[in-house]
Amino acid sequence: MSRRRRKSALRPRYLKLHAVLVFAFLFAPIVVLVAFSFNLARSGTDWTGFSTRWYHALLHNTAVLHAFRNTLKVAVTATIVSTVIGTLAAFALTRFRFRGRSSYSTLVFVSLVMPEVVMGISLLVFFKKGIHINTSLRTVILAHITFCIAFVIVVVKARLTAFDNRLIEAAADLGATPVQSFFRIVLPLATPGILAGAMLAFVISLDDVVITHFTAGPGATTLPLYIFGQLKFGVSPSINALSTFVLLFSLVALGIAGIISLRAARRGTAVLDASTLA
């Protein structure tokens, strides 16, 4: 019995060590990237001293600023449109029964696992040969909306699947109309899932390279495309600084979305408690 107790006592230590090693493996490259963004030398691999010169250079780089504006335009527009369409599709797949519903759900997962190269080429052919429009920032936005919709559907659908339909029945017994039940019960409870899907779509759109490369035209360069293009000339501290800026921007956006989602979840819990008491 004493040996078994000693073994069981050592297991948490092994698990902690395993967790530390896994996190070190995942985040060590990011830490190195951030550290070398403050490198004084022009080389991105040899450390010579601490400096913030590369961050100051980014503020005066017109190409970087233009790419950043394009990135925000694409990400924000794609997030809004894909969230609306994906949320409506998720409601249709979970709240209604119709012929072919399981097939539509399967098609959503197929689009998630489809290689980005295949999707990028197919979208390029569709834009060029199907609807005869030239590649530009508009085609990039349309392409991002296309692949972001599936992610929103999956996240919102997972939230709606756990929804208790008895709440709507209780609201109807109390005299609420279907519209009132939707805005006062269904939507508040689904809001955390909708926000999570929107945030996922925003982050995926923010750092996409492959599909953007196929659908971008003149003047439609985004930050990931700019970084990818600059890597052809070697890794420099300016690229490290730009990558660090994109990382920081993503973390700030995730933090804001997390706070909003947490507040929405609390409101949904309050609505659920009020409905239960009623």
Side-chain angles (χ1 to χ4, degrees):
M1 294 295 293
S2 60
R3 291 182 179 179
R4 293 181 179 178
R5 290 179 179 178
R6 285 197 296 268
K7 289 182 179 180
S8 60
L10 291 175
R11 287 175 183 174
R13 298 181 182 178
Y14 291 142
L15 291 176
K16 292 179 180 178
L17 178 61
H18 179 266
V20 170
L21 293 176
V22 170
F23 281 108
F25 177 79
L26 292 175
F27 294 104
I30 300 177
V31 173
V32 173
L33 170 71
V34 175
F36 274 90
S37 67
F38 296 98
N39 191 8
L40 179 62
R42 291 184 175 274
S43 173
T45 56
D46 298 328
W47 179 267
T48 59
F50 180 86
S51 176
T52 59
R53 57 181 294 192
W54 306 111
Y55 288 94
H56 292 289
L58 289 179
L59 298 177
H60 299 87
N61 192 326
T62 56
V64 170
L65 297 178
H66 179 70
F68 179 66
R69 285 193 295 267
N70 287 341
T71 303
L72 284 183
K73 290 178 183 178
V74 173
V76 172
T77 306
T79 299
I80 294 174
V81 178
S82 63
T83 300
V84 173
I85 298 176
T87 300
L88 294 176
F91 270 100
L93 293 173
T94 54
R95 308 293 300 170
F96 302 99
R97 295 185 178 274
F98 52 91
R99 182 177 298 178
R101 186 179 66 168
S102 59
S103 300
Y104 285 115
S105 299
T106 304
L107 288 175
V108 172
F109 289 100
V110 169
S111 62
L112 289 176
V113 299
M114 183 182 300
E116 289 189 344
V117 174
V118 176
M119 180 172 287
I121 295 175
S122 62
L123 287 171
L124 177 62
V125 173
F126 175 75
F127 292 142
K128 289 285 189 179
K129 304 297 182 181
I131 57 179
H132 302 285
I133 60 175
N134 295 324
T135 53
S136 61
L137 192 64
R138 179 177 56 179
T139 56
V140 175
I141 294 174
L142 292 176
H144 282 224
I145 292 173
T146 302
F147 68 78
C148 285
I149 288 176
F151 291 96
V152 177
I153 292 176
V154 170
V155 175
V156 179
K157 185 181 176 183
R159 178 72 179 182
L160 294 176
T161 302
F163 184 79
D164 191 356
N165 291 324
R166 292 177 298 180
L167 296 175
I168 299 179
E169 297 175 358
D173 293 337
L174 295 174
T177 63
V179 176
Q180 291 175 336
S181 299
F182 176 79
F183 284 102
R184 295 185 180 183
I185 297 178
V186 179
L187 189 59
L189 292 176
T191 298
I194 297 173
L195 292 176
M199 195 64 248
L200 180 61
F202 180 81
V203 174
I204 292 174
S205 174
L206 192 70
D207 64 357
D208 180 78
V209 176
V210 179
I211 297 177
T212 307
H213 175 74
F214 282 100
T215 57
T221 302
T222 60
L223 275 181
L225 283 184
Y226 179 83
I227 295 174
F228 182 76
Q230 292 297 313
L231 287 177
K232 298 177 182 179
F233 305 100
V235 180
S236 64
S238 61
I239 298 301
N240 294 336
L242 184 56
S243 302
T244 303
F245 172 76
V246 174
L247 174 65
L248 180 61
F249 183 80
S250 301
L251 292 177
V252 171
L254 283 173
I256 295 174
I259 294 173
I260 297 175
S261 180
L262 181 60
R263 292 181 178 178
R266 290 177 179 175
R267 293 195 204 99
T269 304
V271 171
L272 181 61
D273 293 340
S275 302
T276 304
L277 292 176

